[in-house]
Amino acid sequence: MGQPSEKSPTGLSAPVEAMLSPDWAKAVRALVLALAVTTVTSLVSRTLKATAGEIAPIWLTNAALLAQMMVAPHRQLWWAFAGGVLGYLIANFLAGESLGVSVSYSCANVLEVMVALAFARLSQRSPSCFV
């Protein structure tokens, strides 16, 4: 079993078995969920912007991603983050934004989510520091 070319008892190579593990499935699920929620809420937010007299409710998307990242186990946190980044980029592309605008909007949104996540994690460790 020490040779990299040998197969495991199930007949699959180790990387394939790792991809089929429950942890891998949970990570992919976190990525896909964040991607879908971020894309949909971002597009809904743009629709609300168009119907609400140019007031951009962008925080809807950031709140949804932040909530998912706050409850995600540590192993899935960065997968959810990656899904959120991809979701922001896809939504901006679908809305017809250029690559530069899409990246800048996505970076701003991700920065906001990461700062909020950092403060949320800090307050969970010592809630008395804000009283």
Side-chain angles (χ1 to χ4, degrees):
M1 192 69 155
Q3 298 296 329
S5 62
E6 288 184 23
K7 301 277 184 183
S8 68
T10 61
L12 299 171
S13 65
V16 172
E17 276 191 358
M19 287 175 42
L20 297 176
S21 73
D23 288 339
W24 181 256
K26 289 177 184 177
V28 170
R29 185 174 46 221
L31 181 130
V32 170
L33 179 65
L35 187 146
V37 168
T38 304
T39 302
V40 169
T41 56
S42 203
L43 292 172
V44 167
S45 178
R46 286 180 178 274
T47 303
L48 291 174
K49 174 185 171 191
T51 61
E54 297 302 315
I55 298 173
I58 61 168
W59 298 280
L60 170 70
T61 305
N62 293 352
L65 180 59
L66 176 63
Q68 183 180 359
M69 290 179 69
M70 286 179 67
V71 300
H74 184 69
R75 290 181 177 183
Q76 297 170 17
L77 180 67
W78 295 110
W79 288 97
F81 174 77
V85 171
L86 290 172
Y88 283 127
L89 289 171
I90 289 170
N92 287 322
F93 282 136
L94 290 175
E97 301 292 348
S98 68
L99 178 62
V101 170
S102 295
V103 170
S104 64
Y105 285 174
S106 298
C107 287
N109 286 328
V110 166
L111 178 64
E112 181 179 337
V113 169
M114 294 307 290
V115 167
L117 182 65
F119 279 115
R121 296 275 166 117
L122 178 67
S123 69
Q124 288 173 349
R125 289 187 189 133
S126 64
S128 63
C129 70
F130 294 108
V131 177

